[in-house]
Amino acid sequence: MTRRLLSVLAALGIIASLTALAAPAHADKRVALVIGNNDYKNVPKLLKAVNDARTMGDTLKQLGFSVMVAENQSRQQFTETLLAFDRAIEPGDTAFFFYAGHGFEIAGQNYLLPTDVPAATEGQEELVRDSSILADRIIERLQNKKARTSILVFDACRNNPFERTGTRAVAGGGGLAPMTQLPEGVFSVFSAGPRQTALDRLSNDDANPNSVFTRTFARELLQPGENLVQVAQHTRRLVSEMADTVKHKQVPVYFDQMVDDVFLSGAAKAAADAAARPADPPAQKVAALPPVSVPRVPKEEATNAPIASFSRHNGGWSVTFSFADPTLGISWRMAGQGDFRETGFIDTLDPRTRKRLPNPSIELPPDAPAGTIEVRYVDASGDMQGPFPIKFEPEAALLRDQRKILDMTATSWLSFREFNGLLVYYTHLVSYRCAIREVRIGIDTAVPNQVLKMPACDMRDPTAISAGMPLYMKLAPSTQVVSVELTYRDGSVSEIKSFRTANRSNN
């Protein structure tokens, strides 16, 4: 750091904190703005938003942030506070924005409501737009200031402040719009999923001054060795479990466009553990492959490290390895389990080597436990490279595989048939139900407004369709269109797809 920057940090009183933290080398400093709005004049007041902002402010100070805390902001005050935040950010900084209060979604855009937002009625969306703060604009401002890492957290519920009373709220029918198109370097977290209400308390005896989300998220931020994704995942699980105890559904969601692993509370545990471990033993030679030179540790910049894709089928798992450069042989094993095994060859010549292509795929049994696959390969020069570790997490791999299939086959989600009336089949969705948290459909409306009940996921046989599973529903003969929206297991939401009943079979 430059002498000028050190003096600035000293003035802010955060040098000691920054020295103790394992912040990325290129991040100059950490700055944060937290806002809590309770005292709304024309929509329902809130109870804990200001407390949530204060708690987040204290938490971020412990993490070395220079923190601005703003409470009960009118439209003009909100704007002036954002301008002050702009002035505090310099290129390369880590910027953290936290908002607790009312929010609203209009036409796919999210608006944060200042305390003097007027009471709007049907058809007065422009009134809300003009008197509120566009969330996307905050992201633009951080991008314009060239912040290296931008973190945005919204603790807001999913009901409508203009229609209902008593709790923190966001948009009516659909909640805050998912932030799926974030620019690089931005990470956002929402306290609840689409059409969910975020709990302020678990019961009348719950005296915690913070909302269920903020009390959990603030605690997770302070856990050493957790990157942002892990913080969000742990918060999602804990909040969901707490909400379940009172039979309430609240699943926080996050949207990640980070380039780096960001650790706000110390270095990664894995790195610390690795430093304490003795050096790894020398790699073994491979007898099963053609004679090669002694294995060597590959140079990082020249390593043709493989990547793997996992696909689940009735018989188990197919794992396909991909290499950027030619290979003469591939072998693998589960970490610590016996000798390496060759994958063999397929009846195709590689035009780059004029030799048979090594088989890039292996099979694992359906009940294969989580573990690490070690992969080695012989490069075009006959040298052994590896082994390279590839993590195998069956549940995560299944969700990714089924999610990918659903995205690629969206036109097949529904089909129609005339048989003693009009039937809509959703067999395709049932087949890949393990990736789906919720299906919503709309009959003759572009807004999916009812839940379509799905069978439970069986991880042992995830695509099985057994007798008695509901696969279709009966529609009125006059139905013209059915809209569908999927909420995936990770909390993200699909685009709304519309299916016209004119495309039906008479068989």
Side-chain angles (χ1 to χ4, degrees):
M1 292 186 178
T2 64
R3 290 173 183 259
R4 181 185 66 79
L5 182 54
L6 286 172
S7 63
V8 173
L9 293 176
L12 292 173
I14 60 174
I15 286 181
S17 299
L18 283 174
T19 303
L21 295 169
H26 359 321
D28 287 346
K29 65 180 186 298
R30 298 176 172 189
V31 292
L33 169 61
V34 298
I35 295 177
N37 283 347
N38 276 347
D39 296 336
Y40 285 91
K41 298 177 174 58
N42 304 305
V43 297
K45 294 180 184 293
L46 302 175
L47 296 176
K48 295 188 176 182
V50 168
N51 282 342
D52 291 340
R54 292 174 180 175
T55 295
M56 283 301 302
D58 292 342
T59 300
L60 293 171
K61 287 175 184 176
Q62 293 181 58
L63 296 174
F65 281 84
S66 176
V67 182
M68 302 166 57
V69 179
E71 301 174 1
N72 296 318
Q73 299 279 282
S74 66
R75 179 66 169 83
Q76 181 174 345
Q77 291 169 334
F78 210 138
T79 301
E80 292 172 350
T81 299
L82 288 174
L83 287 172
F85 189 40
D86 284 349
R87 290 192 290 269
I89 301 170
E90 296 178 338
D93 285 351
T94 295
F96 196 117
F97 176 82
F98 174 86
Y99 173 78
H102 281 306
F104 203 78
E105 181 266 328
I106 301 174
Q109 291 187 304
N110 298 322
Y111 294 85
L112 311 182
L113 306 189
T115 56
D116 57 353
V117 64
T121 58
E122 185 177 359
Q124 293 184 318
E125 291 83 4
E126 289 299 327
L127 186 62
V128 178
R129 282 194 181 103
D130 293 344
S131 57
S132 302
I133 303 296
L134 179 63
D136 286 347
R137 179 65 184 126
I138 297 174
I139 296 176
E140 292 176 9
R141 296 167 80 132
L142 298 178
Q143 292 288 294
N144 291 340
K145 297 297 292 186
K146 294 181 170 51
R148 177 177 177 81
T149 301
S150 299
I151 307 161
L152 298 95
V153 181
F154 303 95
D155 188 0
C157 301
R158 301 295 161 136
N159 54 1
N160 189 333
F162 302 108
E163 295 180 356
R164 303 178 63 180
T165 60
T167 60
R168 193 170 318 164
V170 292
L176 281 180
M179 284 186 165
T180 56
Q181 302 298 319
L182 295 175
E184 185 178 290
V186 179
F187 190 91
S188 69
V189 185
F190 292 84
S191 62
R195 302 181 185 86
Q196 296 173 3
T197 302
L199 293 171
D200 267 352
R201 57 184 180 174
L202 293 172
S203 70
N204 291 335
D205 298 326
D206 184 356
N208 195 296
N210 296 121
S211 72
V212 173
F213 170 81
T214 293
R215 71 181 75 166
T216 307
F217 184 69
R219 185 172 63 246
E220 285 300 314
L221 278 176
L222 294 175
Q223 296 299 316
E226 288 190 9
N227 62 29
L228 277 179
V229 171
Q230 292 169 322
V231 168
Q233 290 175 338
H234 294 166
T235 299
R236 179 173 63 190
R237 177 176 57 81
L238 293 170
V239 170
S240 176
E241 289 174 353
M242 285 191 288
D244 282 344
T245 65
V246 292
K247 301 188 185 314
H248 183 82
K249 185 173 183 180
Q250 179 182 348
V251 184
V253 296
Y254 67 92
F255 303 95
D256 176 15
Q257 283 298 326
M258 304 302 300
V259 176
D260 308 311
D261 272 345
V262 177
F263 296 87
L264 295 182
S265 183
K269 289 179 181 177
D273 293 344
R277 285 198 305 265
D280 292 335
Q284 296 178 327
K285 296 183 181 181
V286 176
L289 291 170
V292 294
S293 62
V294 176
R296 63 172 184 261
V297 177
K299 295 180 180 179
E300 186 173 346
E301 67 272 13
T303 297
N304 177 12
I307 59 175
S309 61
F310 299 88
S311 179
R312 184 68 158 81
H313 49 79
N314 291 340
W317 290 93
S318 290
V319 186
T320 302
F321 305 116
S322 298
F323 300 84
D325 299 322
T327 60
L328 301 181
I330 303 170
S331 62
W332 71 282
R333 70 176 180 185
M334 297 303 296
Q337 297 183 15
D339 297 329
F340 282 85
R341 289 174 281 174
E342 294 181 63
T343 62
F345 297 86
I346 59 177
D347 292 330
T348 303
L349 292 179
D350 186 338
R352 299 170 296 179
T353 63
R354 303 183 67 82
K355 298 179 183 295
R356 290 176 65 190
L357 276 171
N359 182 1
S361 299
I362 64 172
E363 299 291 321
L364 298 177
D367 58 350
T372 299
I373 304 172
E374 294 180 334
V375 182
R376 303 190 302 189
Y377 72 93
V378 180
D379 65 20
S381 301
D383 293 329
M384 178 67 71
Q385 301 289 349
F388 301 96
I390 295 175
K391 291 184 68 175
F392 172 56
E393 298 174 328
E395 183 172 355
L398 175 65
L399 300 187
R400 283 194 298 269
D401 184 45
Q402 290 201 354
R403 166 73 183 269
K404 180 173 65 175
I405 293 172
L406 286 167
D407 287 341
M408 294 173 60
T409 59
T411 57
S412 301
W413 289 356
L414 299 184
S415 60
F416 301 95
R417 181 185 179 193
E418 286 186 351
F419 183 79
N420 295 329
L422 178 59
L423 305 178
V424 56
Y425 280 82
Y426 47 95
T427 314
H428 193 73
L429 297 179
V430 173
S431 297
Y432 302 105
R433 61 192 178 276
C434 288
I436 301 172
R437 185 183 300 279
E438 183 179 79
V439 180
R440 298 183 71 90
I441 65 170
I443 310 300
D444 278 334
T445 173
V447 179
N449 54 12
Q450 57 182 290
V451 175
L452 185 63
K453 187 171 178 59
M454 301 290 287
C457 168
D458 182 356
M459 293 296 296
R460 296 168 300 178
D461 196 359
T463 59
I465 297 179
S466 59
M469 281 189 181
L471 302 175
Y472 65 88
M473 63 184 296
K474 195 166 186 177
L475 302 176
S478 60
T479 303
Q480 297 297 310
V481 66
V482 179
S483 57
V484 186
E485 180 185 68
L486 306 184
T487 300
Y488 294 107
R489 286 278 294 276
D490 63 3
S492 60
V493 183
S494 72
E495 293 182 4
I496 296 176
K497 306 292 184 182
S498 294
F499 297 82
R500 303 199 66 82
T501 62
N503 303 319
R504 66 182 76 169
S505 168
N506 293 316
N507 298 325

